[in-house]
């Protein structure tokens, strides 16, 4: 049971993902430098948050061409669980593994604050131990997290049950006032059609201990561990 | 042959006397490159020529001090084999000219100072001053500065965990941007900015050199006038991505023992780093500017030596270890170029290929910089502003409306609009929620945490520089103690006007005396800092504004406190016996529109006992929250304790110690008057007895008692209710005081 945390130049939540998986959850975790060509036999791949390549040009657009990404793509296509957090989400959008793109937050400012998200889908490796409609208190920290896709694309995502997390209020209601950045249909996280690649803008790795204000993010990593333990489970797709 | 005329000297900010000294040192006329080098090294910014004589009086030693002033940053022992490396610095002038980049490069610079010492930066704070937000230009400067601080810190991945921001008209043409960084290093593994070992190669690493920032240090040593925006090219552009790579590469290199010494190329760039590293080690440095990676073509040696391009470092490495060093930097896609060698002749020698363009004795350049004991004179304004006739004030408003006004004022209002733009959680160490007191970061792998606060009040120092500076020390330390931390070290950033004016120099001298006095009494060594003079626009100086950054240790991170009352019913105590005065207070300014009067005195002995008591009670788990009474006095502090609690109220009872005079003035003094050494704490009712005993033993008076509960904020004097306001109304006023200036612009 090993998490690989990919480190791009400019990644800055790599240590936080490592600490959460290794020290809070006691799993095996390893950093993988972006110039490497393999994933060190990892069972789960995390693309962490940060500002890969400074987010110059467009968020995630350069990291997507890092040598390691060929291995990540192959791992994902083979059904391996991949989690993109924040900048990791933006990188996955650039690879085309997930549809759509990110606009600047509607506040036109970087925002770092606690938000609530509702778990919409349990059939992913990162939500399988959550309860239906579970509300998680997890922080965001991004300038460009305003998810955008054309209406027909959004309809398709909904029809395929690919919307995994939505911004909501403390009661779980998806309302505009609880949408921190203007994301279309309150989307905070998605999965691919095969359901093994999951990405979200909020930072579950920052919400794994009550000392940090919330331990609600644990469920994301615990799900991955549980899924792998139930060896051989076939993902619906 | 060049001839140095007075125009050249003026352009370089050098006096005739300083030029004479240059002639003596060199025994000849300086070359253009040499005059440039002397000019930046002897600028106020680099040489501290007006302040050194005063700074020497500050206490800089103590049992925990590992590194005092003189290096890139100071360091104190925090236990568990770890040292905290920290410093505060100003970037005032660049932030006025180009707010985003000025503030961003300020953050970049202070981060480099920390990791240069071998420490991983783990926390940023800032202390900001602006004019009124009614002014559109000021709003633009504020937005730029906040975005710049966030843009740099967020990207490089160091959390901005706290700070303060105040607004006074005096800062309209000269905002203050002071940035603080703290890093963590292994004890005994600090890296120094010292060159040694003749023959060791001198490496240039990081970004390429361009023409940006030439004479930045000289600019920061001059007053502003209407032409200041023409100085825009002297402001540098920050690249936090480059610095992130540099940070990781340098820390990786420091794990090897290939490094001899390293220094950031900050103010005065290559000049300052080569001469300071050489003079600290008592050696010479010989470099060839043609080997310096350059971003632009046709740069002269003068420009290369004076450029302040960001994200660059100078290193001396052990001969024979070059390949290892170059391999690490290559991994991070960075330049690491050998540009010269260490020599044993003590000369800073700059070559351009085969020709020597500068040759200056290193020691004389750095250590024999001018040092002035500038004349001081009591400013004429003091007598006038100290006079305050309370009896002559117009009829004061009802306590409730005054409180609402104060809560909505820029001094007191929630700064959520600001800190929401800062990533305050990255690295998952921030265990105190933003906006609730000192910044607190846990130290992973230990039980400990560090609390940090930056504080200063220019208005107080304007009225009384000596007492105002003491109050800044006391408040920063008290805020740290309110988090449950024992204050162990301090850094200061001294923002003043033109030191060549005797009344400014008097303010400075008195403030430094005050800092020294308070730091000695509170056993707080100053381990470093920064002086920013010439904060004037069109001859008008800012309020004298010393800002103190204090670091404290919490032995058990789980005992950290913040200001918020618990939701359960608890007892409230006001610890500390001083009575608030309206002189110099936020109330007098915001409600009465006056800046006048005398400040309440500070008893350093009482302050020290109060802080020790807080740390003891917090460690024993006997207090649930603690909050300093500061701007707006007792009523504002009580209200702030109720905010973010989910609407829980509080009721406080005090004896009526009013003695004659107008009743409204007496009540306002009690509710809104300001005095140091007062802290509101909440405790479980079952702990009341034991806490009271400990408070008595500590010799700290209890000035008021009360309980939490209900949904109103009430204060009674001898049984008579003098304040009664709903928490919801109070909190609403407090929440929108800053945001209201930015509505209808973007959601």
């Amino acid at each position: 049971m090993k998490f690989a945390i990919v480190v791009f130049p400019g990644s800055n939540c790599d240590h936080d993902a490592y600490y959460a998986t290794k020290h809070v959850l006691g799993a095996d975790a390893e950093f993988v430098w972006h110039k490497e060509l393999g994933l060190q036999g990892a069972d789960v791949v995390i693309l962490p948050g940060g500002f890969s390549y400074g987010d110059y040009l467009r968020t995630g657009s350069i990291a997507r061409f890092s040598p390691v990404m060929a291995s990540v793509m192959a791992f994902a296509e083979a059904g391996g669980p991949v989690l993109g957090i924040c900048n990791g989400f933006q990188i996955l959008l650039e690879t085309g593994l997930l549809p759509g793109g990110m606009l600047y937050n509607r506040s036109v400012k970087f925002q770092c604050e606690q938000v609530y998200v509702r778990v919409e889908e349990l059939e992913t490796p990162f939500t399988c131990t959550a309860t239906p409609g579970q509300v998680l208190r997890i922080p965001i920290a991004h300038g460009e997290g305003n998810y955008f896709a054309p209406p027909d694309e959004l309809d398709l995502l909904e029809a395929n049950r690919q919307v995994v997390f939505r911004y909501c209020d403390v009661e779980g209601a998806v309302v505009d006032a609880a949408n921190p950045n203007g994301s279309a249909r309150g989307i905070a996280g998605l999965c691919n059609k095969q359901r093994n690649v999951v990405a979200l803008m909020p930072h579950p790795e920052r919400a794994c201990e009550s000392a940090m204000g919330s331990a609600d993010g644990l469920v994301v990593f615990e799900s991955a561990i549980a899924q792998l333990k139930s060896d051989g489970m076939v993902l619906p797709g | 042959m060049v001839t140095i005329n007075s125009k050249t000297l003026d352009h370089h900010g050098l006096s005739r006397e300083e030029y004479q000294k240059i002639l003596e040192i060199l025994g000849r006329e300086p070359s253009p490159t040499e005059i440039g080098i002397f000019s930046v090294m002897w600028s106020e910014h680099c040489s501290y020529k007006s302040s050194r004589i005063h700074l020497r009086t500050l206490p800089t030693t103590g049992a925990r001090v590992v590194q005092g002033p003189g290096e890139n940053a100071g360091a104190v022992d925090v236990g568990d084999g770890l040292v905290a490396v920290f410093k505060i610095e100003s970037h005032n002038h660049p932030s006025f000219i180009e707010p985003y980049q000025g503030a961003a490069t300020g953050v970049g610079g202070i981060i480099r100072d920390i990791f240069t010492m071998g420490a991983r930066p783990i926390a940023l704070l800032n202390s900001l001053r602006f004019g009124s937000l009614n002014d559109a230009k000021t709003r633009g400067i504020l937005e730029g500065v906040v975005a710049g601080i966030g843009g740099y810190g967020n990207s490089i991945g160091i959390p901005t965990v706290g700070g303060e921001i105040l607004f006074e008209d005096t800062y309209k043409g000269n905002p203050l941007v002071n940035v603080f960084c703290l890093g963590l290093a292994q004890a005994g593994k600090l890296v120094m900015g010292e060159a040694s070992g003749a023959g060791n190669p001198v490496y240039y690493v990081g970004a390429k050199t361009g023409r940006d920032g030439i004479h930045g240090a000289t600019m920061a040593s001059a007053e502003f006038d209407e032409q200041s925006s023409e100085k825009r090219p002297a402001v540098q552009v920050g690249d936090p991505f480059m610095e992130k790579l540099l940070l990781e590469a340098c820390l990786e290199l420091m794990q090897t023992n290939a490094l001899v010494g390293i220094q950031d190329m900050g103010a005065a760039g290559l000049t300052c780093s080569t001469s300071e590293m050489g003079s600290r080690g008592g050696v010479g440095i010989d470099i060839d500017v043609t080997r310096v990676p350059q971003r632009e073509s046709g740069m002269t040696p003068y420009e290369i030596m004076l450029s302040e391009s960001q994200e660059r470092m100078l290193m001396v490495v052990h001969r024979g270890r070059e390949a290892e060093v170059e391999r690490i930097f290559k991994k991070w896609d960075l330049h690491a170029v050998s540009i010269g060698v260490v020599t044993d002749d003590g000369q800073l020698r700059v070559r351009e290929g085969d020709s020597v363009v500068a040759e200056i004795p290193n020691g004389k350049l750095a250590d024999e910089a001018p040092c002035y004991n500038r004349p001081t004179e009591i400013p004429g304004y003091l007598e006038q502003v100290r006079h305050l006739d309370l009896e002559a004030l117009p009829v004061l408003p009802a306590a409730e409306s005054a409180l609402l006004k104060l809560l909505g004022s820029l001094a007191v209002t929630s700064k959520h609009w600001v800190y929401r733009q800062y990533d305050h959680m990255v690295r998952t160490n921030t265990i105190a929620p933003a906006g609730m007191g000192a910044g607190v970061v846990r130290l992973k792998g230990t039980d400990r945490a560090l609390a940090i606060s930056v504080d200063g009040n220019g208005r107080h120092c304007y009225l009384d520089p000596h007492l105002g500076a003491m109050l800044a020390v006391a408040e920063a330390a008290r805020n740290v103690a309110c988090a449950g931390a024992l204050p162990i070290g301090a850094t200061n950033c001294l923002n003043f006007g033109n030191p060549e004016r005797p009344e400014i120099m008097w303010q400075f001298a008195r403030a430094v005396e005050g800092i020294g006095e308070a730091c000695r009494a509170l056993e707080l060594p100053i381990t470093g800092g920064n002086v920013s003079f010439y904060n004037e626009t069109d001859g008008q100086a800012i309020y004298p504004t010393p800002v103190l950054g204090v670091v404290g240790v919490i032995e058990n991170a789980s005992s950290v406190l913040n200001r918020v009352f618990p939701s359960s019913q608890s007892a409230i105590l006001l610890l500390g016996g001083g009575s608030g005065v309206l002189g110099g207070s936020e109330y007098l300014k915001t409600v009465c529109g006056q800046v006048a009067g005398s400040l309440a005195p500070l008893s350093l002995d009482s302050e020290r006992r109060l802080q020790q008591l807080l740390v003891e009670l917090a460690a024993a788990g006997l207090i649930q929250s603690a909050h300093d009474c500061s701007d707006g006095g007792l009523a504002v502090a009580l209200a702030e304790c109720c905010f973010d609690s989910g609407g829980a109220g509080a009721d406080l009872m005090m004896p009526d110690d009013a003695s004659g005079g107008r009743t409204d003035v007496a009540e306002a003094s009690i509710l809104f008057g300001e005095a140091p050494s007062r802290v509101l704490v909440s405790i479980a009712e079952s702990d009341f007895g034991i806490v009271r005993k400990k408070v008595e033993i500590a010799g700290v008076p209890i000035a008021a008692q009360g309980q939490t509960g209900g949904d109103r904020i009430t204060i009674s004097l001898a049984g008579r209710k003098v304040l009664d306001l709903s928490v919801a109304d109070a909190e609403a006023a407090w929440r929108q005081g800053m945001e209201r200036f930015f509505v209808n612009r973007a959601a």
Side-chain angles (χ1 to χ4, degrees):
Chain A
M1 177 64 225
K2 184 153 121 185
F3 287 87
I5 295 144
V6 180
V7 182
F8 299 97
S11 292
N12 64 32
C13 303
D14 45 347
H15 287 268
D16 302 349
Y18 182 87
Y19 185 80
T21 50
K22 176 122 180 171
H23 296 289
V24 180
L25 281 153
D28 200 4
E30 202 130 358
F31 291 117
V32 176
W33 181 236
H34 77 118
K35 288 179 186 172
E36 288 176 31
L37 295 172
L39 292 167
Q40 301 179 1
D43 304 295
V44 184
V45 172
I46 298 179
L47 304 185
F51 288 67
S52 57
Y53 291 94
D55 277 352
Y56 301 148
L57 186 60
R58 190 175 63 243
T59 58
S61 61
I62 304 176
R64 172 245 180 290
F65 293 103
S66 272
V68 76
M69 284 308 291
S71 308
V72 173
M73 299 290 280
F75 181 81
E77 275 153 24
V82 175
L83 177 68
I85 302 170
C86 198
N87 194 228
F89 191 171
Q90 295 163 336
I91 294 167
L92 288 170
L93 291 172
E94 290 290 330
T95 64
L97 281 173
L98 296 171
M102 292 294 174
L103 302 175
Y104 223 84
N105 296 345
R106 61 181 163 182
S107 67
V108 207
K109 298 209 176 327
F110 186 96
Q111 287 168 237
C112 176
E113 58 202 335
Q114 296 282 353
V115 299
Y116 293 96
V117 294
R118 190 174 74 193
V119 181
E120 303 287 272
E121 295 293 338
L122 305 190
E123 285 175 34
T124 84
F126 299 100
T127 50
C128 59
T129 62
T131 54
Q134 189 175 343
V135 175
L136 310 178
R137 185 170 188 261
I138 310 185
I140 56 165
H142 59 244
E144 294 171 61
N146 179 356
Y147 181 75
F148 176 84
D152 51 339
E153 185 79 62
L154 291 171
D155 290 341
L156 204 61
L157 285 170
E158 308 261 16
N160 292 333
R161 298 187 298 107
Q162 284 174 254
V163 178
V164 183
F165 301 99
R166 268 186 238 268
Y167 298 109
C168 63
D169 64 16
V170 64
E171 310 290 342
V174 176
V175 291
D176 191 59
N179 184 332
N181 51 27
S183 287
R185 301 188 190 178
I187 290 173
L190 292 177
C191 67
N192 62 347
K193 245 191 242 175
Q194 293 70 36
R195 314 193 77 74
N196 61 313
V197 177
V198 173
L200 73 169
M201 286 312 291
H203 288 269
E205 81 283 14
R206 295 186 184 187
C208 288
E209 296 163 278
S210 56
M212 293 301 300
S214 171
D216 290 357
L218 276 177
V219 72
V220 171
F221 305 101
E222 283 169 349
S223 290
I225 292 168
Q227 171 101 23
L228 281 163
K229 277 186 183 156
S230 66
D231 197 22
M233 176 178 166
V234 178
L235 291 163
Chain B
M1 203 53 224
V2 271
T3 20
I4 308 294
N5 55 33
S6 26
K7 210 174 143 196
T8 313
L9 292 183
D10 288 346
H11 174 69
H12 286 88
L14 287 164
S15 72
R16 307 297 172 276
E17 296 73 34
E18 287 164 354
Y19 183 59
Q20 278 309 313
K21 202 161 177 183
I22 293 170
L23 292 179
E24 280 165 33
I25 289 174
L26 295 179
R28 58 177 165 80
E29 279 216 337
S31 71
T33 305
E34 286 169 338
I35 196 97
I37 289 173
F38 274 106
S39 136
V40 290
M41 286 306 290
W42 287 8
S43 70
E44 188 67 56
H45 189 81
C46 291
S47 73
Y48 293 85
K49 57 190 169 191
S50 305
S51 58
R52 279 211 315 270
I53 200 162
H54 299 279
L55 298 177
R56 277 183 198 138
T57 64
L58 292 172
T60 58
T61 55
R64 285 182 182 263
V65 176
V66 177
Q67 179 63 55
E71 265 291 342
N72 287 297
V76 292
D77 188 336
V78 297
D80 289 313
L82 297 171
V83 294
V85 178
F86 59 94
K87 192 162 105 172
I88 190 167
E89 244 182 30
S90 64
H91 233 215
N92 305 337
H93 294 81
S95 301
F96 178 63
I97 293 176
E98 217 298 87
Y100 185 100
Q101 293 298 345
T105 53
V107 173
I110 194 72
I111 292 171
R112 284 195 301 280
D113 279 337
I114 301 309
F115 74 75
T116 299
M117 298 285 294
R120 177 172 281 282
I122 59 165
L124 289 166
L125 288 90
N126 53 74
S127 174
L128 311 177
R129 300 291 183 279
F130 300 95
S132 162
L133 289 185
N134 288 315
D135 174 49
K137 189 178 177 201
T138 300
R139 286 197 299 273
I141 295 173
L142 169 73
E143 286 200 286
V145 165
V146 170
I149 289 173
Y152 211 100
N154 299 347
S155 175
I156 198 167
I158 300 167
T160 300
V161 301
E164 56 153 13
I165 175 168
L166 289 168
F167 301 83
E168 302 278 1
D169 290 338
T170 182
Y171 304 112
K172 183 180 173 188
N174 196 124
L176 302 185
V177 175
N178 292 182
V179 287
F180 172 103
C181 185
L182 179 141
L184 213 53
Q186 299 290 324
K189 293 254 176 87
L190 286 183
V191 182
M192 299 299 158
E194 190 177 303
S196 65
N200 278 333
V202 175
Y203 268 84
Y204 171 111
V205 296
K208 292 182 183 181
T209 296
R211 288 194 172 91
D212 47 338
I214 291 172
H215 276 299
T218 319
M219 177 189 85
S221 307
E223 290 174 34
F224 276 152
D225 54 32
E226 283 165 10
Q227 276 78 49
S228 291
S229 55
E230 289 172 12
K231 293 180 176 166
R232 203 177 293 261
V235 179
Q236 318 83 344
V237 175
D239 179 354
F241 172 60
M242 172 63 79
E243 182 142 315
K244 170 73 173 164
L245 302 180
L246 201 52
L247 158 70
E248 298 297 341
C250 287
L251 291 181
E252 195 170 321
L253 175 65
M254 288 163 184
Q255 296 298 311
T256 72
N257 54 4
L259 191 64
V260 174
I262 182 166
Q263 177 146 340
D264 157 40
M265 290 189 220
L270 201 48
T271 294
C272 186
S273 53
T274 46
S275 71
E276 285 192 356
M277 283 192 75
S279 72
R280 283 197 197 104
V283 295
I285 286 192
D286 188 326
I287 61 166
D288 178 356
V289 292
T290 61
R291 283 147 80 175
V292 171
Q294 292 159 48
R295 201 166 60 215
E296 301 174 50
S297 55
M299 287 185 73
T300 62
Y302 177 98
E303 290 172 321
I304 294 168
M305 289 304 289
L306 267 61
S307 162
E308 292 190 5
S309 290
Q310 297 287 293
E311 292 93 21
R312 304 178 301 159
M313 307 283 260
L314 191 77
M315 308 189 308
V316 173
V317 307
H318 289 289
R319 194 167 25 169
R321 305 288 292 273
E322 291 89 343
E324 200 177 334
V325 172
E326 286 170 22
R327 193 163 56 238
I328 290 173
F329 282 87
K330 187 158 185 256
K331 171 186 164 186
W332 293 96
D333 299 322
L334 291 170
H335 295 280
V337 181
S338 168
I339 60 166
V341 287
V342 176
T343 67
D344 54 13
D345 65 4
Q347 298 284 321
L348 168 61
R349 193 173 296 108
V350 181
R351 299 170 193 271
E352 186 186 25
D354 293 333
S355 58
V356 173
V357 292
E359 193 168 25
I360 306 172
N362 247 331
K364 303 213 177 213
L365 185 57
D367 304 333
E368 288 189 23
C371 180
Y372 300 127
N373 187 3
R374 295 195 186 273
T376 63
E377 188 183 309
I378 297 180
Y381 74 83
L382 269 180
E383 200 173 332
Q384 199 188 334
V385 297
R386 276 190 184 160
H387 175 75
L388 172 64
D389 183 2
L390 291 171
E391 296 295 312
L393 288 175
V395 176
L396 299 175
E400 290 77 12
S401 65
L403 178 56
L404 286 173
K405 193 162 187 188
L406 279 167
L407 292 171
S409 72
L410 284 170
V412 177
T413 183
S414 165
K415 304 304 183 303
H416 177 257
W417 183 89
V418 175
Y419 63 72
R420 183 172 82 150
Q421 296 182 53
Y422 302 148
D423 189 339
H424 45 267
M425 308 171 186
V426 63
R427 302 199 69 77
T428 59
N429 296 319
T430 313
I431 55 170
M436 294 204 187
V440 185
V441 284
R442 64 177 174 181
L443 306 180
K444 281 183 185 136
T446 80
D447 291 334
R448 293 191 169 91
L450 299 179
I452 311 151
S453 188
V454 287
D455 292 282
N457 186 321
R459 194 175 65 242
H460 289 169
C461 294
Y462 172 71
L463 295 171
D464 187 339
H466 181 256
L467 180 53
M470 295 209 305
L471 291 171
V473 175
E475 182 171 352
R478 195 183 315 128
N479 282 335
V480 161
C482 280
L486 177 72
I488 59 166
T491 174
N492 59 10
C493 196
L494 309 174
N495 307 275
F496 287 77
N498 180 348
E500 296 159 49
R501 289 169 48 194
E503 63 277 19
I504 299 290
M505 208 54 219
W506 183 85
Q507 292 175 332
F508 182 79
R510 292 294 289 153
V512 173
E513 280 172 34
I515 291 170
E517 207 173 312
C519 284
R520 273 185 292 272
L522 299 175
E523 290 183 51
L524 264 182
I526 298 274
T527 63
N530 168 240
V531 178
S532 171
F533 279 130
Y534 298 98
N535 289 288
E536 305 204 352
T537 300
D538 298 328
Q540 197 62 41
I542 57 159
Y543 284 164
T545 313
V547 172
L548 268 291
V550 169
V551 176
V553 186
I554 305 174
E555 290 298 320
N556 188 340
S558 64
S559 61
V560 62
L561 300 173
N562 63 48
R563 66 170 159 77
V564 183
F565 285 148
S567 47
S568 57
Q569 185 162 333
S570 299
I572 303 170
L573 298 179
L574 173 60
L575 301 177
S579 17
V581 303
L582 292 180
S585 68
E586 194 57 42
Y587 180 91
L588 196 67
K589 181 196 162 196
T590 299
V591 178
C592 308
Q594 287 194 40
V595 172
S598 298
L599 309 171
L602 170 68
S603 156
L604 287 165
D605 180 52
S606 305
E607 180 69 45
R608 193 186 145 111
R609 278 184 281 118
L610 172 68
Q611 291 183 19
Q612 285 173 340
L613 173 67
L614 286 166
V615 176
E616 183 196 341
L617 291 176
L622 290 170
I623 36 183
Q624 300 163 322
S625 69
H627 187 41
D628 166 42
C629 295
S630 162
D631 302 326
L634 177 61
V636 163
L638 184 68
E640 287 172 336
C641 293
C642 296
F643 300 158
D644 298 301
S645 72
D651 179 32
L652 196 69
M653 289 150 293
M654 303 185 74
D656 192 353
D657 56 3
S659 51
R662 277 171 52 179
T663 323
D664 60 342
V665 170
E667 281 179 16
S669 301
I670 292 171
L671 293 175
F672 305 110
E674 294 170 17
S677 320
R678 299 192 302 168
V679 169
L680 277 168
V681 300
S682 63
I683 59 175
E685 289 187 330
S686 56
D687 289 332
F688 191 81
I690 180 167
V691 170
R692 218 167 89 170
K693 193 171 283 170
K694 284 184 183 288
V695 172
E696 260 170 38
I697 293 168
V700 173
I702 295 176
Q705 293 184 29
Q707 310 71 58
T708 65
D711 58 4
R712 303 187 72 76
I713 301 160
T714 56
I715 296 180
S716 316
L717 294 182
R720 187 171 50 92
K721 211 168 259 183
V722 290
L723 177 81
D724 186 359
L725 188 65
S726 85
V727 176
D729 290 346
E731 195 160 356
W734 176 74
R735 286 209 182 279
Q736 52 89 48
M738 188 157 187
E739 259 140 73
R740 71 196 159 97
F741 288 98
F742 299 97
V743 288
N744 303 327
R745 307 183 75 216

